[in-house]
Amino acid sequence: EAGVAQSPRYKIIEKRQSVAFWCNPISGHATLYWYQQILGQGPKLLIQFQNNGVVDDSQLPKDRFSAERLKGVDSTLKIQPAKLEDSAVYLCASSLDLYTEAFFGQGTRLTVV
Amino acid sequence: GDSVTQMEGPVTLSEEAFLTINCTYTATGYPSLFWYVQYPGEGLQLLLKATKADDKGSNKGFEATYRKETTSFHLEKGSVQVSDSAVYFCALSGDNFNKFYFGSGTKLNVKP
């Protein structure tokens, strides 16, 4: 079974630029999550989708971050404009539904200079 | 709110030593508890889980028991290997629609 796919693996941008990350969840998984993992910290949930609807985006900095999951499958996370403190690994995860375990992708490491 | 606290690292052990990584939690309701492992350059992998009090999760020689009375889920392994070197995250999933809360991670270094 294919896992959660993310791209790109690495990205370096200058502050104030924009960037987008892509995630393809495990086939058939209705729930998709985006986490931010700052170096030395545990992952922090940014946004959670159930199919193409948002379940929780309370910790998403909406002035600069946006995410969508059109058609309830793939998802993109965008940052515009980026700040130095956005440097982190962005993890995508998916689960069959809201009540089962989540499987994580390898993440995208973002460096903002 | 829900939260997880785990011991700070790094933890450095010799091969075949006994491992304990402490994890305590705060949660309302009846959370599920997890240990995830992150090897260098890779994503998070589920190591083991327990969904109710007194359950013991186990995998690859690692064990953890869900202790509701002490709100703990300590990770143990009787004999670590060099290949166990990684960062270990304790996490909980509460009643709130499978929202995960992670601890800050504990880095384990195992020396030959």
Side-chain angles (χ1 to χ4, degrees), chain A residues 9 33 35 37 40-43 45 48 56 58 91 95 97-102 104-106, chain B residues 34 36 38 41-46 49 89 93 95-105:
Chain A
R9 287 294 312 276
Y33 315 77
Y35 284 85
Q37 186 179 12
Q41 299 181 17
L45 180 68
Q48 180 180 356
D56 185 339
S58 58
L91 295 165
S95 60
D97 54 40
L98 292 169
Y99 306 103
T100 52
E101 69 197 57
F104 285 79
Q106 291 186 297
Chain B
F34 306 82
Y36 280 83
Q38 189 172 36
E42 298 187 13
L44 291 165
Q45 299 175 26
L46 178 66
K49 66 179 181 180
F89 292 92
S93 174
D95 292 339
N96 184 18
F97 297 122
N98 206 26
K99 185 174 178 178
F100 277 76
Y101 296 87
F102 285 87
S104 56

Side-chain angles (χ1 to χ4, degrees), chain A residues 101-103, chain B residues 19 21 23 32-39 44-52 55-66 72-78 88-93 100 102:
Chain A
E101 69 197 57
F103 294 85
Chain B
L19 168 71
I21 300 178
C23 171
S32 295
L33 300 174
F34 306 82
W35 277 100
Y36 280 83
V37 58
Q38 189 172 36
Y39 297 103
L44 291 165
Q45 299 175 26
L46 178 66
L47 181 60
L48 53 85
K49 66 179 181 180
T51 58
K52 61 183 187 295
D55 268 4
K56 178 185 283 187
S58 61
N59 186 25
K60 299 181 181 179
F62 291 89
E63 293 184 339
T65 302
Y66 188 165
S72 65
F73 193 57
H74 305 322
L75 182 68
E76 296 182 335
K77 187 175 185 182
Y88 293 81
F89 292 92
C90 185
L92 72 81
S93 174
F100 277 76
F102 285 87

Side-chain angles (χ1 to χ4, degrees), chain A residues 17-56:
Chain A
Q17 286 188 323
S18 62
V19 64
F21 312 127
W22 173 83
C23 173
N24 181 237
I26 294 173
S27 178
H29 280 197
T31 310
L32 185 147
Y33 315 77
W34 283 102
Y35 284 85
Q36 180 192 57
Q37 186 179 12
I38 293 173
L39 186 65
Q41 299 181 17
K44 181 185 80 172
L45 180 68
L46 292 176
I47 189 167
Q48 180 180 356
F49 293 94
Q50 177 67 8
N51 296 310
N52 60 352
V54 175
V55 174
D56 185 339

